[in-house]
């Protein structure tokens, strides 16, 4: 009997050891969310954390989109294609098809010198632009192409579709120059007449002259000065064009009085594993052994992985992007009431991590941030969201969270490029101009009736912002 | 006989009377500049090719001598500039004041709307635009679509014009405003001439279709009467 009792006690001890072993394995498996062991089980059954495949789908849909799509009639007429239109969806769909054809087949493109780009963009064509180059491995991931081909573009920056009578001529601008491809027209897709019809739609629009642009190449500027040849500018037709204003504010979820409510918005079910407090400046701090979030009263969010130095290498870009995508999902939920969309602005590879930069766009107008010093490090903030991540985790994030909406008031502004440049003191010999265009400037806690400005982007230097003048010249 | 003599005298008087305005001497009554309205002295009979000037406005009482001198200088400067702008035989220069990025040279186009573009690194530069009038062999002010034929060239300028069919011989004059009273072509006044030819749409289609006759090319280039 005494032996039986001993065996029973041993069985109970063994059972407890097995359970604690399983818990320890669970903790080790998911040690990013160290806290109560039950969080491991919550993740298995909880609905707030997305399954990997869902994250992939969302990341592709949300972030694989052009920065801008424009149409050229080959006769000094260029028009922007609104992302909410059927024309945009058709063109982007076609572009993805041709891109996939190029990188998944054995097409060997012909390499042309970079200077050839300026002659190509003024042809009758459709230009799909990204804010900066998309690296080939990320492009393959976006397009769900598994194998790499020798001829694939290394860094997709801009894509030009030039419909020819028998095939589509495709030109890709990447960091090495211009690559030319020829692909048969897609079966069931747009044909040359359809592309011409798209162009005619813009030419014959009743407000065509109020929406038409010229390119810097057509003005002879890019051949004489260090200015990109494909910058759209207003030189013809009415100088005054209408733009709405915007208002922006801190998301309501971040203004909750109860810190727990803010924690719920940012951390979801994991909030219980964090300690939280409000510091002397009103900043809400959420901290556990590995992670720290700071949410400032103006909507600035700072995240750091604080568990010592992360010795893991940066790993594959796509793995790091998946981690970033999961992090971004929570941010996007916070900004669900905002009328601005978030787009992937740039991807840079560092020695131990990748840097993903995202920005806002309201309608077709990008939002430029200009904060001189933000957060603990006091670094300038010129992009909406900047995330450093490797294959295992997000290492740090800096995000200015704002909700945007367009105001009903619309004003006319003089956007003739000559009038805009006048008075800026810009010497075209001295500065390199990458891009110019209308933008909304955000540099304060909240703004109402914010008017657009003219932004001049320079590689490696802060942008220059020029005030627009209305019809009265004010 | 008496009738003949009286008739001759009458004819002579007639000729003398109508010749008097033509023979106005220097220092005669002041006349106004039709564009500025300023009152200035005339420096001699107007020559063929110079911009016309109108009568003095009423009520121009005696003025301060320094203002008169300034006005006279301004008038002289204006005439000198008009001469450079309108003159059919003025030599062209390098682009030392303004870099004209468009047009870069003579060109053909099918588009009636044309954009002139240029950049100036210097301050105090004005640009004036003129177009050749074949009828009188002179250049006349060419008004852009925003209603001006001259503008300050500070940094970048872009101006839209509407071309006439055929050859449009365009003159672009850039000069230093502060030295307008002493303009010298090639020193402080830059002159450039370009020919932008507006081709007929029909020719464009025929070129595209590969059907083009030499005569039709010339018909498209030369202005139609």
């Amino acid at each position: 009997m005494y032996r039986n009792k001993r065996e029973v006690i041993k069985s109970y001890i063994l059972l407890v050891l097995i359970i604690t072993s399983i818990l320890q394995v669970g903790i080790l498996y998911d040690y990013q969310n160290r806290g109560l062991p039950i969080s491991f089980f919550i993740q298995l059954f909880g609905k707030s954390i997305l399954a990997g495949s869902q994250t992939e789908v969302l990341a592709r849909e949300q972030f694989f989109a052009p920065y801008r799509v424009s149409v050229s009639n080959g006769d000094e007429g260029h028009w922007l294609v609104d992302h909410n239109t059927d024309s945009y969806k058709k063109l982007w769909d076609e572009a993805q098809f041709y891109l996939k054809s190029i990188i998944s087949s054995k097409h060997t493109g012909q390499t042309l010198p970079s200077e050839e780009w300026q002659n190509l963009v003024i042809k009758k064509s459709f230009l799909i632009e990204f804010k900066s180059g998309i690296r080939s491995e990320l492009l393959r991931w976006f397009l769900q192409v598994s194998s790499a081909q020798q001829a694939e573009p290394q860094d997709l920056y801009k894509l030009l579709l030039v419909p020819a009578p028998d095939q589509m001529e495709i030109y890709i601008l990447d960091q090495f120059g211009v690559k030319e491809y020829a692909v048969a027209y897609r079966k069931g897709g747009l044909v040359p007449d359809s592309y011409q019809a798209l162009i005619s739609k813009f030419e014959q629009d009743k407000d065509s002259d109020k929406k038409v642009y010229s390119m810097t190449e057509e003005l002879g500027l890019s051949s004489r000065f260090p200015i990109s040849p494909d910058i759209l500018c207003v030189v013809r037709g009415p100088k005054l064009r209408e733009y709405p204003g915007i208002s922006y504010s801190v998301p309501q979820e971040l203004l909750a009085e109860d810190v727990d409510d803010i924690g719920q918005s940012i951390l979801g079910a994991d909030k219980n594993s964090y300690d939280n407090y409000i510091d002397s400046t009103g900043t809400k701090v959420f901290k556990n052994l590995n992670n720290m979030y700071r949410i400032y009263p103006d909507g600035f969010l700072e995240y750091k992985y604080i568990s010592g130095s992360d010795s893991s290498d940066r790993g594959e870009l796509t793995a790091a992007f998946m981690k970033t995508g999961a992090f971004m999902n929570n941010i996007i939920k916070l900004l669900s009431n905002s009328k601005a969309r978030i787009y992937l602005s740039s991807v840079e590879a560092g020695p131990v991590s990748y840097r993903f930069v995202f920005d806002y766009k309201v309608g077709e107008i990008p939002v430029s941030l200009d904060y001189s010093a933000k957060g603990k490090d006091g670094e300038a903030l010129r992009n909406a969201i900047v995330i450093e991540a490797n294959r295992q985790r997000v290492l740090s994030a800096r995000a200015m969270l704002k909700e945007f909406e367009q105001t009903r008031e619309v004003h006319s502004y003089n956007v003739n490029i000559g009038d805009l440049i006048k008075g800026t003191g810009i010497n075209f010999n001295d500065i390199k101009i990458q891009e110019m265009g209308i933008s909304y400037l955000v540099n304060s806690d909240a703004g109402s009736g914010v008017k657009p400005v003219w932004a001049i982007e320079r590689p490696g230097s802060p942008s220059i912002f020029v005030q627009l003048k209305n019809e009265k010249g004010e | 006989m008496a009738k003949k003599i009286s008739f001759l005298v009458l004819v002579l008087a007639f000729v003398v009377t109508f010749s008097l305005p033509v023979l106005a001497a220097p220092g005669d009554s002041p006349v106004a500049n039709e564009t500025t309205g300023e009152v200035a002295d005339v420096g001699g009979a107007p020559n063929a090719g110079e911009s016309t000037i109108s009568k003095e406005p009423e009520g121009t009482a005696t003025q301060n001598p320094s203002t008169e001198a300034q006005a006279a200088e301004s008038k002289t400067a204006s005439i000198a500039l008009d001469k450079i702008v309108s003159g059919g035989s003025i030599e062209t220069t390098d682009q030392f004041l303004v870099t004209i990025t468009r047009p870069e040279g003579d060109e053909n186009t099918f588009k009636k709307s044309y954009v002139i573009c240029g950049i100036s690194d210097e301050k105090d530069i004005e640009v004036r635009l003129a177009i050749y009038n074949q009828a009188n062999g002179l250049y006349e002010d060419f008004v852009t679509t925003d209603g001006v034929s001259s503008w300050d060239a500070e940094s970048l300028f872009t101006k839209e014009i509407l071309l006439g069919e055929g050859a449009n011989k365009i003159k672009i004059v850039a000069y230093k405003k502060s030295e307008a009273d002493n303009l010298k072509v090639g020193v402080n006044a830059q002159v450039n001439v370009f020919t932008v030819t507006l081709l007929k749409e029909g020719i464009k289609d025929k070129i595209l279709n590969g059907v083009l006759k030499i005569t039709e090319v010339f018909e498209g280039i030369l202005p139609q009467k």
Side-chain angles (χ1 to χ4, degrees):
Chain A
M1 187 169 168
Y2 174 69
R3 189 178 280 179
N4 280 342
K5 269 191 181 173
R6 244 182 22 184
E7 292 304 318
V8 168
I9 291 167
K10 277 184 194 174
S11 299
Y12 280 127
I13 292 170
L14 190 59
L15 191 61
V16 167
L17 284 172
I18 289 169
I19 290 170
T20 50
S21 297
I22 292 171
L23 288 175
Q24 281 189 332
V25 167
I27 290 167
L28 281 170
Y29 180 78
D30 191 39
Y31 67 90
Q32 285 181 31
N33 296 309
R34 183 172 297 175
L36 290 174
I38 56 170
S39 65
F40 165 64
F41 294 103
I42 289 171
Q43 284 184 37
L44 281 179
F45 301 110
K47 292 177 185 174
S48 62
I49 307 297
L50 294 170
S53 61
Q54 275 182 295
T55 308
E56 279 186 36
V57 168
L58 277 173
R60 284 195 181 98
E61 283 174 5
Q62 183 77 31
F63 303 120
F64 185 43
Y67 170 71
R68 182 169 60 206
V69 175
S70 59
V71 161
S72 168
N73 65 359
D75 197 15
E76 299 180 22
H78 303 262
W79 293 268
L80 289 176
V81 183
D82 194 306
H83 76 286
N84 276 332
T85 59
D86 195 42
S87 301
Y88 174 94
K89 292 180 180 64
K90 282 182 189 168
L91 286 169
W92 179 223
D93 202 33
E94 294 286 295
Q96 288 181 83
F97 167 78
Y98 290 114
L99 265 176
K100 202 168 178 176
S101 296
I102 288 167
I103 67 174
S104 60
S105 72
K106 290 182 182 173
H107 278 293
T108 41
Q110 189 185 351
T111 302
L112 307 173
S114 304
E115 297 74 39
E116 190 58 27
W117 184 253
Q118 60 205 42
N119 299 323
L120 296 168
V121 287
I122 57 176
K123 288 185 171 194
K124 188 183 286 189
S125 56
F126 302 84
L127 180 60
I128 290 98
E129 298 176 83
F130 297 89
K131 191 63 180 167
S132 64
I134 297 182
R135 293 164 65 99
S136 58
E137 56 264 53
L138 192 58
L139 182 62
R140 268 185 276 118
W141 183 81
F142 277 139
L143 292 169
Q144 301 182 71
V145 173
S146 53
S147 56
Q149 297 297 326
Q150 273 187 334
E152 66 174 5
Q154 294 302 307
D155 196 332
L156 170 64
Y157 183 23
K158 301 189 186 188
L159 170 71
L160 189 72
L161 302 178
V162 182
D166 299 324
Q167 58 193 4
M168 178 64 81
E169 292 173 2
I170 299 149
Y171 299 89
I172 291 177
L173 179 68
D174 65 16
Q175 59 179 320
F176 298 108
V178 182
K179 285 205 172 60
E180 178 184 17
Y181 302 87
V183 180
Y185 280 110
R186 179 188 192 185
K187 282 180 187 168
L190 298 180
V191 293
D193 285 347
S194 317
Y195 285 105
Q196 181 57 50
L198 272 174
I199 294 172
S200 300
K201 196 173 156 186
F202 285 94
E203 286 177 318
Q204 291 159 13
D205 184 280
K206 60 178 175 61
D207 292 327
S208 172
D209 63 335
K210 294 178 190 170
K211 298 175 185 174
V212 71
Y213 293 89
S214 291
M215 271 190 179
T216 38
E217 171 59 21
E218 290 159 345
L219 304 178
L221 294 174
S222 51
S223 51
R224 307 258 193 133
F225 304 99
I227 182 170
S228 293
D230 52 16
I231 297 175
L232 297 174
C233 37
V234 174
V235 295
R236 280 197 167 86
K239 288 185 177 185
L240 295 174
R241 297 206 174 175
E242 290 186 341
Y243 298 96
I246 60 163
S247 295
Y248 61 89
S249 56
V250 178
Q252 285 299 312
E253 287 84 348
L254 299 184
L255 297 174
E257 287 183 7
D258 190 343
V259 179
D260 276 345
D261 290 339
I262 298 175
Q264 179 68 36
S265 301
I266 300 284
L267 304 165
D270 288 342
K271 67 167 184 169
N272 294 325
S273 65
Y274 286 79
D275 296 323
N276 62 65
Y277 62 92
I278 302 175
D279 71 9
S280 55
T281 61
T283 302
K284 283 90 176 176
V285 182
F286 297 86
K287 188 175 176 181
N288 62 16
L289 280 174
N290 294 326
N291 311 287
M292 182 161 73
Y293 289 84
R294 286 178 180 275
I295 295 132
Y296 293 79
D298 62 354
F300 181 60
L301 181 148
E302 223 175 7
Y303 165 78
K304 246 189 172 63
Y305 176 71
I306 56 174
S307 181
S309 59
D310 189 318
S311 58
S312 48
D313 61 26
R314 68 184 191 200
E316 287 190 359
L317 171 59
T318 50
F321 188 73
M322 286 284 295
K323 296 296 179 193
T324 301
F327 190 95
M328 285 295 295
N329 279 329
N330 291 335
I331 289 180
I332 287 166
K333 277 182 208 160
L334 265 177
L335 301 175
S336 56
N337 292 327
S338 176
K339 294 291 180 284
R341 39 193 183 98
I342 299 174
Y343 65 94
L344 179 61
S345 199
S346 69
V347 178
E348 291 165 24
V352 295
S353 64
Y354 295 95
R355 188 168 183 265
F356 301 94
V357 178
F358 300 86
D359 280 300
Y360 297 118
K361 216 174 183 189
V362 181
E364 296 310 306
I365 301 176
V367 174
S368 301
L369 269 66
D370 190 25
Y371 292 89
S372 54
K374 291 307 293 181
K376 271 286 189 187
D377 300 332
E379 286 178 20
L381 185 71
R382 310 240 187 254
N383 298 100
I385 302 158
V386 180
I387 296 177
E388 303 260 355
N390 62 18
R391 63 186 170 89
Q392 281 200 315
R393 62 181 60 81
V394 170
L395 298 172
S396 69
R398 303 177 86 224
M400 181 55 78
L401 304 177
K402 300 285 188 200
E403 285 182 341
F404 293 87
E405 60 178 30
Q406 281 184 339
T407 59
R408 287 181 189 174
E409 284 180 19
V410 174
H411 292 285
S412 297
Y413 301 94
N414 182 353
V415 291
N416 176 277
I417 188 172
D419 293 345
L420 286 168
I421 295 290
K422 198 183 290 188
T424 62
I426 287 175
N427 186 330
F428 281 87
N429 286 305
D430 295 342
I431 69 167
K432 192 171 178 182
I433 297 178
Q434 186 174 344
E435 181 60 73
M436 293 191 285
I438 297 286
S439 181
Y440 292 115
L441 181 59
V442 167
N443 54 9
S444 61
D445 291 5
S448 177
V450 174
K451 296 172 186 176
V453 296
W454 184 260
I456 300 171
E457 294 176 28
R458 306 175 289 167
S461 299
S463 298
I464 299 171
F465 300 104
V466 180
Q467 291 296 324
L468 294 179
K469 292 186 180 169
N470 58 21
E471 54 268 32
K472 295 174 189 169
E474 296 161 358
Chain B
M1 188 66 179
K3 277 185 186 173
K4 281 181 187 174
I5 293 168
S6 57
F7 180 74
L8 277 171
V9 168
L10 193 65
V11 167
L12 202 63
F14 186 85
V15 169
V16 167
T17 306
F18 282 97
S19 298
L20 275 175
V22 180
L23 296 172
D28 280 353
S29 51
V31 294
N33 181 304
E34 71 174 1
T35 54
T36 66
E38 292 174 349
V39 175
D41 285 340
V42 174
N47 298 320
E50 285 188 343
S51 32
T52 53
I53 46 182
S54 60
K55 289 182 186 176
E56 62 174 356
E58 287 184 355
T60 49
T62 52
Q63 295 187 357
N64 191 311
S66 63
T67 311
E68 277 185 353
Q70 281 173 5
E73 266 183 35
S74 176
K75 177 62 184 170
T76 309
S78 179
I79 289 176
L81 175 61
D82 286 344
K83 216 170 177 177
I84 294 172
V85 171
S86 62
S89 56
I90 301 287
E91 280 183 23
T92 58
T93 68
D94 289 337
Q95 296 178 9
F96 60 97
L97 291 177
V98 165
T99 302
I100 297 164
T101 59
R102 189 170 195 245
E104 286 188 282
D106 295 346
E107 55 181 82
N108 299 331
T109 180
F110 292 102
K111 209 172 169 66
K112 192 177 171 79
S113 157
Y114 189 83
V115 175
I116 290 173
C117 183
I119 291 181
S120 175
D121 293 333
E122 308 235 4
K123 297 203 187 298
D124 187 42
I125 302 292
E126 186 161 276
V127 174
R128 196 151 150 193
L129 188 65
I131 188 161
Y132 186 69
N133 184 340
Q134 205 170 14
N136 58 17
L138 300 170
Y139 285 86
E140 295 168 348
D141 283 337
F142 194 177
V143 178
T144 64
T145 54
D146 48 348
V148 299
S149 58
S150 63
W151 57 89
D152 287 336
E154 188 184 332
S155 191
L156 173 70
F157 64 85
T158 63
K159 293 293 175 188
E160 184 186 7
I161 54 174
L162 296 175
L163 300 170
E165 210 165 85
N168 294 262
K169 206 168 167 186
I170 293 166
K171 180 188 276 190
I172 302 174
V173 176
Y175 63 96
K176 291 196 176 184
K177 287 192 287 187
S178 55
E179 297 174 25
D181 56 347
N182 187 24
L183 289 179
K184 286 179 187 160
V185 174
V187 176
N188 52 15
Q190 171 187 321
V191 178
N192 303 108
V193 175
F194 305 92
T195 301
V196 182
T197 304
L198 177 63
L199 300 173
K200 282 185 195 172
E201 273 299 316
I203 289 183
K204 175 185 177 184
D205 293 334
K206 287 179 181 174
I207 289 172
L208 290 172
N209 294 333
V211 176
L212 178 67
K213 294 178 184 176
I214 299 296
T215 50
E216 285 167 341
V217 170
F218 284 109
E219 276 174 21
I221 292 171
L222 295 174
Q224 297 294 310
K225 287 183 183 176

